[in-house]
Structure formats: structure tokens, C-alpha cells
Amino acid sequence: LIDEDLLGSVVNILCACNTDFYNKIKSTMKIGGDAVQVLSLPNSSQLTNINSANLIFHHQQKTEQMLMNLDLQKSNRVAYNRIVKSIEEGKNTTLIILRQLTKQMLANISCILLSMHREPSINSDNLKINAASMYLKELQEFIGRSWTSHMSPFADKVSVIQCAKEVSIKTIELFIQNLSILRPISSKGRERLKSDCAQLETLIQS
């Protein structure tokens, strides 16, 4: 049996501690400036954010394990929901860190996709259809490099995957927007673009 008053007091203290922990994390969190560059290896500001986000994830995991061990979801749903809600703030903080990186990635992706309008082979019949266009090669290299360097170090893979889906959707939108106004295009250029579509799909799925 669990004393309801005692449980309420413990939950109040735990939620207050969670809030204090997240406030301390936010006070050290780096926003903008050096913290959003995605062209080179993570700098000191970004390493601080990675460590902070991974601390949040570790705290969340341990709290969820405690709730599972106590079987609080069955014994006291109200207390369980309060604790779960209190740790959601940590996930939101992690998403702020991740999304400032993906926002910068999308800015770079947009610039790379714009370069398809300067692709010299698109209006030529003298090209290899199955070979990737130069802009697509640059896109593949950028996404692979920046994602490995800046997103892979985060322990909260659920949030990372959520951000990956958001980046994928926006990348497809940007690709279609540029593709729809691309002129002029030769017949083989059209075939090359079809191949680019297939390779972009493979890139996004990976």
C-alpha cells in the first residue's frame, strides 16, 4: 500500500528537481552563432549542447526505469502522468538543440539544390544518364558528413529520427520546387533527372 499524501509529496519534490535540472541545462545551452554551424566538426559550443542533451536523455531513461520498477502507471495514474509530463520538458529542450542544427542544414541543402539550375549537363544530350548530377553528389556528401558529425552523437535517437523525417520532407519539397522550374532540359537531361530522383529517394531512405 502507498500512502497517497506521502506519494504526492515525493512527486512534488521529484517534479521540482526535474524543473531545476532542466533550468540548469538551459542556462548552459548554446543557441545560434557557433552552435549552428554544420560544415566542419562540432566546436566547443556544440559539444556542450551534445553533452547537455545526452545528460537529459540519461536522466529520462533512469526516470522511466524507476516508473517501470514501481509500476506506478497502474497503481497511481495521476502521479505517473505528472512525472512523465515533467520529463517531457527535457525532450523539448533536446529538440530545440537538434532543430537549430537541422534548420542550418536545410539552409545549406537549399543552396545546393539551387545549383541544379547551373548544372551544365542538364541541357545536353551528351551525358551519362545513370550518373549522379554534380549538385546531387554535393548533396549526398553534405548530408552524410553533417549528419554523421552533428546528429549521430546525440543519444536520444527517437528525437534524432523525428528531426530526420522533418529534414527529409523539406528536402523533397525543395527538390520538387527547383525541379518544376528548371529550364531548359534536353531529353537526356530529363532522363538524368529521373535518375536523380531515384538516387535522392535512396539517400533519404538511408
Side-chain angles (χ1 to χ4, degrees):
L1 296 176
I2 301 176
D3 184 280
E4 294 296 328
D5 291 336
L6 177 59
L7 177 61
S9 297
V10 171
V11 171
N12 287 338
I13 293 171
L14 179 58
C15 290
C17 288
N18 284 342
T19 299
D20 184 58
F21 171 66
Y22 295 136
N23 285 338
K24 288 180 179 178
I25 289 289
K26 289 176 182 178
S27 70
T28 63
M29 193 167 64
K30 310 299 181 183
I31 300 295
D34 291 341
V36 299
Q37 72 81 25
V38 290
L39 296 177
S40 59
L41 294 175
N43 54 44
S44 59
S45 294
Q46 293 172 318
L47 291 174
T48 296
N49 283 347
I50 291 170
N51 290 333
S52 295
N54 289 346
L55 276 174
I56 289 172
F57 182 69
H58 178 73
H59 173 72
Q60 180 183 340
Q61 277 192 314
K62 295 302 180 182
T63 303
E64 290 173 347
Q65 185 62 52
M66 176 195 71
L67 293 174
M68 186 181 299
N69 293 340
L70 293 173
D71 201 18
L72 198 59
Q73 186 173 10
K74 292 182 180 179
S75 60
N76 194 307
R77 187 76 182 184
V78 174
Y80 173 84
N81 287 339
R82 284 188 61 197
I83 296 172
V84 169
K85 186 177 180 179
S86 76
I87 62 176
E88 284 179 356
E89 184 180 351
K91 183 171 184 178
N92 293 335
T93 301
T94 297
L95 284 171
I96 290 172
I97 294 172
L98 291 172
R99 283 178 174 148
Q100 69 171 355
L101 292 172
T102 56
K103 181 180 179 180
Q104 186 60 41
M105 287 180 188
L106 284 168
N108 284 276
I109 288 170
S110 179
C111 290
I112 293 170
L113 289 175
L114 277 172
S115 69
M116 75 165 62
H117 298 279
R118 300 190 299 273
E119 187 79 22
S121 61
I122 293 298
N123 194 35
S124 171
D125 284 322
N126 185 25
L127 77 164
K128 294 180 180 179
I129 294 174
N130 293 326
S133 299
M134 289 190 295
Y135 76 87
L136 189 59
K137 290 178 181 178
E138 185 179 358
L139 182 65
Q140 290 168 334
E141 291 173 1
F142 170 72
I143 291 179
R145 182 179 66 253
S146 61
W147 202 267
T148 298
S149 297
H150 293 276
M151 301 297 283
S152 296
F154 288 92
D156 187 353
K157 299 307 179 186
V158 173
S159 294
V160 170
I161 290 172
Q162 180 180 340
C163 289
K165 290 178 180 178
E166 294 168 359
V167 169
S168 297
I169 291 170
K170 188 61 179 177
T171 299
I172 292 170
E173 289 176 357
L174 290 168
F175 180 77
I176 292 173
Q177 287 171 9
N178 283 282
L179 194 63
S180 64
I181 60 173
L182 186 60
R183 301 288 188 280
I185 311 173
S186 66
S187 58
K188 284 194 175 181
R190 291 180 186 278
E191 295 300 317
R192 164 69 69 81
L193 290 173
K194 289 181 183 179
S195 175
D196 288 348
C197 288
Q199 292 186 58
L200 179 65
E201 182 180 0
T202 301
L203 173 63
I204 289 173
Q205 288 175 343
S206 63

